[in-house]
Amino acid sequence: MQTSPAPSPLFSGVEWIWFDLDDTLIDFHANSRRAHRLLFDEQNGFDSTYDDFVEWLHAYETHNAELWRRYAAGEISQDFLRLDRFLSPLALKWRGDSEALETLCRYLDTRYLDLLAEQKQLVEGAREALLLARARGYKIGVLSNGFSSVQHRKIRSARLDDLIDTVVLSDDIGVAKPDPRLYLYAMARVNNLRPDAHLMIGDNLATDIKGAEAAGWKHLFFAPRDTAPSSPADPPAECRIARLDELSRLI
């Protein structure tokens, strides 16, 4: 009779494996760019403010990344992020009045999120990783900073809901990773308050991994674009993977 291999020491005692959602399970960058392409075409370059889609995408993504950094640090509100990620890039070329621009940006945000929620592309190996974790007896959670109105829809669109036991979002309590309070809330939600029973897998050192460390969780850094530690503070090689299929040798 075949038996499962012994887990890596990293997974010893772990009962819950928590995955970040965007760019860990769901290919957020691909799905977001597809949603932006659809939105750009629908809106005729946002009332012809931008003639070139690549120029728009660069302006949006650069500004949006900074807004998400500030949001995770608790410096700005969700409402400000959702408005300003469209407003500031469009304001660079806008020739109308400011009230009309704000009205347009609030519509664009809602429409973009609707289009984003419909996209289905996964990170390579995501579904297989969840199936493997479930087969090995782990409970599976998603721990995400994304917006509640969108993240559950994205999970359903990607057909991952049947493989996830619990979803915990920053919207649930109004704090975002890396704030350890979100991790403590996740433990309470699943009625398991032992930190070393939880392991976080995520692609963002500053939010996923630093937050897990602060909460006393074990962690595995998913680093598909950077396979080697770049500083002594980075997770060591045994705490990082470049592909999700590497989980098969760990759990």
Side-chain angles (χ1 to χ4, degrees):
M1 175 176 157
Q2 262 192 332
T3 59
S4 299
S8 157
L10 180 64
F11 283 79
S12 178
V14 169
E15 298 175 17
W16 278 87
I17 300 178
W18 296 86
F19 291 84
D20 173 53
L21 187 62
D22 291 321
D23 287 328
T24 299
L25 294 176
I26 289 176
D27 191 336
F28 172 80
H29 277 84
N31 291 339
S32 178
R33 288 177 177 183
R34 174 60 178 161
H36 272 288
R37 177 80 257 186
L38 294 169
L39 184 63
F40 187 87
D41 291 345
E42 276 185 6
Q43 299 299 314
N44 186 32
F46 312 122
D47 295 342
S48 299
T49 301
Y50 278 81
D51 296 324
D52 181 70
F53 173 69
V54 174
E55 181 187 5
W56 159 253
L57 191 65
H58 175 73
Y60 173 89
E61 289 186 339
T62 301
H63 186 58
N64 187 54
E66 173 60 14
L67 289 175
W68 274 100
R69 184 199 66 77
R70 293 176 63 193
Y71 178 66
E75 297 173 2
I76 60 173
S77 68
Q78 179 185 138
D79 184 67
F80 181 86
L81 185 156
R82 291 180 59 174
L83 173 64
D84 196 67
R85 61 184 176 177
F86 283 95
L87 192 149
S88 283
L90 286 178
L92 296 173
K93 297 186 174 221
W94 187 255
R95 295 296 176 261
D97 66 82
S98 58
E99 186 175 338
L101 177 58
E102 180 171 340
T103 298
L104 173 63
C105 290
R106 291 200 181 278
Y107 169 77
L108 292 175
D109 172 72
T110 299
R111 180 62 179 145
Y112 161 70
L113 292 177
D114 284 342
L115 291 167
L116 179 64
E118 295 171 0
Q119 308 310 309
K120 300 177 173 61
Q121 187 162 330
L122 297 174
V123 171
E124 183 177 359
R127 188 169 184 85
E128 293 79 4
L130 296 178
L131 285 166
L132 175 67
R134 175 155 286 186
R136 297 285 166 83
Y138 295 98
K139 291 287 190 179
I140 299 169
V142 161
L143 188 63
S144 169
N145 278 353
F147 308 140
S148 181
S149 60
V150 182
Q151 298 300 74
H152 289 285
R153 293 162 62 196
K154 285 159 63 175
I155 290 170
R156 289 193 297 271
S157 291
R159 298 182 179 178
L160 296 179
D161 45 327
D162 61 323
L163 295 176
I164 295 168
D165 296 295
T166 299
V167 177
V168 172
L169 302 174
S170 56
D171 274 2
D172 293 345
I173 59 170
V175 299
K177 295 178 291 185
D179 193 316
R181 287 177 294 175
L182 188 61
Y183 297 77
L184 298 176
Y185 171 77
M187 288 192 291
R189 269 275 297 271
V190 300
N191 198 29
N192 188 327
L193 298 178
R194 184 167 58 86
D196 62 357
H198 302 267
L199 181 140
M200 181 78 208
I201 300 177
D203 70 303
N204 191 311
L205 274 176
T207 55
D208 303 320
I209 305 306
K210 297 305 180 186
E213 288 178 341
W217 288 20
K218 297 180 178 182
H219 48 81
L220 187 63
F221 179 37
F222 175 48
R225 292 170 293 279
D226 179 17
T227 57
S230 58
S231 81
D234 284 353
E238 62 270 21
C239 293
R240 57 198 296 140
I241 55 174
R243 302 183 317 275
L244 289 177
D245 62 10
E246 293 181 58
L247 281 177
S248 63
R249 64 177 172 79
L250 298 174
I251 66 174

